[in-house]
């Protein structure tokens, strides 16, 4: 029982990470029918930029290990902001280099161009930080909360709380604000959006900035769990992509729900047999897609790729 | 002249849709463009709105060349567009559709007042203001498309086949609104296949056939013209 509770907490945190990245896939897919296949690489600067900033701020070189005392809550907050901003800006570069030349055109060139952009980004990070990983202390320390006998790591609670707050915030933005309504108008029909005076390209760029920033946020949030390194992103992004497909790529809430679903299943199955985690998840994905091709909460059929 | 089009050529790949079109719309005028399916009417409207870029020729709006301008820029200059097929935002409420129509503006109080004006023009939209636009009837969607186009406070209103697919009674309702907009001094370029209605409300008219303007004159004259009667009025 306590083990299950513990696994649920980890699953919730992991699922929140998947959900954040999946939401990013949804936002650009809705507005452009494309998304960043190289999204995994965006977690890399997400974790490393923030961590290096903290290192530099305590007078260490940009690559090294941080002591728990150096990772104050303030330092982690600033690192998070920096990661989100930097990776958000990389999203603008992604748009101009890998999306704009191909969006709207027939074919799948954008698939390769976004993968390529991700590889370039990852290898740039490799040149800056090298292949070794940095152990990142959580600002909440390494102790555990005892809840009903289960040991729950405070950082997992932090991940879930931040991610849920961001998701709820974005959901409100999408439904209630002028920007959100414009995003949905572009998603509904770009030409119709343009003739009411919406600068469609600007909205699309904003979508890529949000999507990238979400990946950056995921990177810094997960760093204390996985460590920060050039190689953290790929597996996480693949799960997040699966979450988006399972939840329904066309539905932002579906994407978030898909994230939590996958995270929790992964943690629960892992409790039983760690090596069955991936098997269970991808079996589940296949079953869901056979029964509901547009995902659990999707509306339209997803484009065949 | 509010709008002056000179020697406009537009093509989609190998398909030449407009060939050397020249046309004018004066301030406060209602001008209609009639012609059969595929004549190039929508292409002309879409070129003015910036959705299609011409090969050559001039589109001059209030003395400024706007050919090839991006659509949101044209809206900001004061060109409102109710497109063929309406293209209302189906997953957003009627009120939000109207608010989006004012995207180029930023005074919330004025925008709310203009939404009210839209509801006065089309009272059915007021009743349905919280309803998703996709659940409206075809006629209501057309009304919404026109009301939405008015939300940018246009100097020139482009109406592309507002009668398309609507029951005769609804068509009459829509045309009554077009007439009242005319009486308020709105400048309108109206594209229609329903030639009798369009010529009835228009000050001047052009007949478009396979990308050429073949006839032009006052609405009244063209209503009497035997060639128009034979081709477009079923007489
Ligand atoms: N997006 C497009 N791609 C290719 N050809 C088009 C496109 N839109 C219109 N056309 C062609 O251009 C011509 C004019 O079309 P259009 O302007 O829509 O005519 P109308 O509005 O008078 O019915 C037609 O031959 C049509 O097939
Ligand atoms: Mg047409």
């Amino acid at each position: 029982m306590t083990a299950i509770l513990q696994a649920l907490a980890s699953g919730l945190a992991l699922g929140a990470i998947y959900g954040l990245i999946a939401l990013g896939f949804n936002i650009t897919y809705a507005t452009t029918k494309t998304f960043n296949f190289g999204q995994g690489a965006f977690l890399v600067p997400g974790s490393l930029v923030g961590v290096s900033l903290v290192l530099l701020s305590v007078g260490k070189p940009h690559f090294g290990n941080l002591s728990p005392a150096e990772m104050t809550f303030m330092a982690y907050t600033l690192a998070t902001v920096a990661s989100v901003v930097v990776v958000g800006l990389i999203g603008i570069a992604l748009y101009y280099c890998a999306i704009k030349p191909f969006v709207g055109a027939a074919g799948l060139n954008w698939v390769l161009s976004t993968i390529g952009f991700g590889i370039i980004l990852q290898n740039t990070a490799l040149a800056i930080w090298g292949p070794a990983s940095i152990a990142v202390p959580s600002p909440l320390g390494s102790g555990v909360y005892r809840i009903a006998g289960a040991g729950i790591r405070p950082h997992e609670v932090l991940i879930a709380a931040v991610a849920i707050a961001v998701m709820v915030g974005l959901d409100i933005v999408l439904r209630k604000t002028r920007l959100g309504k414009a995003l949905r108008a572009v998603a509904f029909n770009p030409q119709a959006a343009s003739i009411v005076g919406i600068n469609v390209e600007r909205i699309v760029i904003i979508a890529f900035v949000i999507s990238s920033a979400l990946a950056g946020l995921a990177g810094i949030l997960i760093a204390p769990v996985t460590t920060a390194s050039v190689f953290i992103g790929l597996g996480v992004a693949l799960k997040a992509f699966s979450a988006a497909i399972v939840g329904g790529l066309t539905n932002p809430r579906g994407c978030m729900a898909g994230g939590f679903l996958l995270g929790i299943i992964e943690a629960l199955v892992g409790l039983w047999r760690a090596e069955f985690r991936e098997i269970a998840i991808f079996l589940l994905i296949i079953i869901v897609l056979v029964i509901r091709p547009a995902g659990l909460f999707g509306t339209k059929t997803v484009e065949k790729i | 002249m509010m709008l002056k089009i000179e020697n406009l050529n537009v093509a989609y790949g190998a398909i030449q849709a407009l060939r050397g079109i020249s046309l004018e719309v004066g301030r406060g005028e209602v001008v209609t463009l009639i012609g059969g399916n595929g004549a190039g009417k929508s292409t002309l409207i879409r070129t003015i709105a910036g959705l299609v870029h011409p090969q050559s020729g001039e589109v001059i709006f209030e003395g400024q060349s706007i050919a090839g301008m991006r659509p949101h820029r044209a809206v900001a200059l004061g060109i409102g567009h109710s497109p063929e097929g309406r293209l209302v935002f189906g997953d957003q409420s009627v009120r939000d559709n109207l608010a989006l129509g004012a995207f180029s503006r930023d005074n919330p109080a004025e925008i709310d007042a203009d939404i009210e004006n839209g509801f006065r023009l089309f009272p059915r939209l007021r009743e349905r203001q919280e309803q998703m636009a996709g659940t409206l009837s075809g006629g209501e969607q057309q009304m919404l498309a026109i009301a939405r186009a008015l939300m940018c406070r246009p100097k020139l209103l482009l109406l592309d086949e507002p009668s398309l697919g609507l029951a005769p009674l609804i068509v009459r309702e829509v045309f009554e609104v077009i007439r009242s907009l005319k009486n308020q001094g709105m400048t309108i370029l109206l594209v229609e296949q329903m030639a009798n209605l369009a010529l009835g409300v228009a000050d001047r008219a052009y007949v478009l056939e396979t990308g050429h303007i073949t006839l032009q004159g006052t609405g009244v004259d063209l209503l009497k013209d035997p060639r128009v009667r034979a081709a477009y009025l079923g007489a």
Side-chain angles (χ1 to χ4, degrees), chain B residues 18 23 67 77 104 126 130 181 193-194 202 213:
Chain B
L18 295 179
L23 160 160
L77 287 179
S104 56
R126 184 196 304 279
E130 299 306 331
L181 289 172
Q193 291 201 50
M194 293 236 181
I213 287 177

Side-chain angles (χ1 to χ4, degrees), chain A residues 175 178-186 188-189 191-203, chain B residues 46 49 51 70-72 75 79 81 83 87-92 96 100-106 148:
Chain A
R175 282 180 308 112
R178 196 172 119 96
L179 171 65
K181 288 169 186 178
L183 267 161
R184 282 162 53 215
V186 172
F188 190 82
N189 185 325
Q191 285 207 352
S194 72
I195 63 166
V196 298
I198 295 171
N199 182 345
V200 173
E201 183 171 40
R202 179 186 294 172
I203 295 291
Chain B
R46 291 162 55 79
L51 290 166
R70 290 193 293 163
H72 68 276
V75 177
I79 299 178
H81 180 191
L87 303 185
V88 296
F89 303 114
D91 62 348
Q92 300 198 51
D96 284 346
L100 280 166
F103 200 81
S104 56
R105 302 166 48 196
D106 47 31
R148 186 182 66 180

Side-chain angles (χ1 to χ4, degrees), chain B residues 154-181:
Chain B
K155 297 173 184 156
L156 169 68
L157 180 62
L158 306 173
L159 299 176
D160 194 345
E161 296 214 41
S163 74
L164 192 72
L166 303 187
L169 215 63
I170 308 289
V171 172
R172 201 186 310 154
E173 216 176 308
V174 168
F175 268 79
E176 266 161 27
V177 170
I178 295 173
R179 193 176 292 278
S180 83
L181 289 172

Side-chain angles (χ1 to χ4, degrees), chain B residues 12 15 17 35-44 84 160-161 193:
Chain B
Y12 301 98
I15 300 167
N37 224 342
K41 305 182 298 298
S42 296
T43 301
L44 181 65
E84 182 178 300
D160 194 345
E161 296 214 41
Q193 291 201 50

Side-chain angles (χ1 to χ4, degrees), chain A residues 1-14 150-152 156 263-272:
Chain A
M1 192 56 218
T2 57
I4 289 179
L5 206 61
Q6 238 159 279
L8 275 178
S10 305
L12 208 63
L14 202 55
I152 291 171
E156 289 175 350
I264 288 169
I265 290 178
E266 184 176 336
L268 288 179
V269 174
L271 204 57
W272 169 50

Side-chain angles (χ1 to χ4, degrees), chain A residues 51-179:
Chain A
V51 170
S52 283
L53 268 178
V54 178
L55 280 164
L56 292 172
S57 76
V58 297
K60 290 185 173 174
H62 74 279
F63 186 92
N65 280 314
L66 276 169
S67 72
E70 287 162 345
M71 186 58 101
T72 61
F73 203 79
M74 192 57 176
Y76 191 68
T77 306
L78 291 179
T80 304
V81 171
S83 289
V84 166
V85 169
V86 168
V87 182
L89 292 177
I90 296 174
I92 299 178
L94 171 76
Y95 169 76
Y96 281 107
C97 298
I99 300 292
K100 186 175 183 178
F102 310 112
V103 70
L108 295 171
N109 293 351
W110 61 273
V111 174
L112 194 63
S113 65
T114 55
I115 292 175
F117 189 93
I119 290 173
I120 292 170
L121 185 62
Q122 193 183 14
N123 282 284
T124 306
L126 191 61
I128 299 174
W129 283 283
S133 59
I134 305 179
V136 182
S138 164
L140 299 181
S142 54
V144 289
Y145 297 148
R146 285 275 156 210
I147 298 174
I152 291 171
R153 280 188 288 176
H155 195 76
E156 289 175 350
V157 179
L158 178 73
I159 290 177
V162 171
I164 290 170
V166 167
M167 287 182 205
V168 170
L170 264 180
D171 192 72
I172 291 171
V173 165
L174 278 176
R175 282 180 308 112
K176 300 276 187 224
T177 66
R178 196 172 119 96
L179 171 65

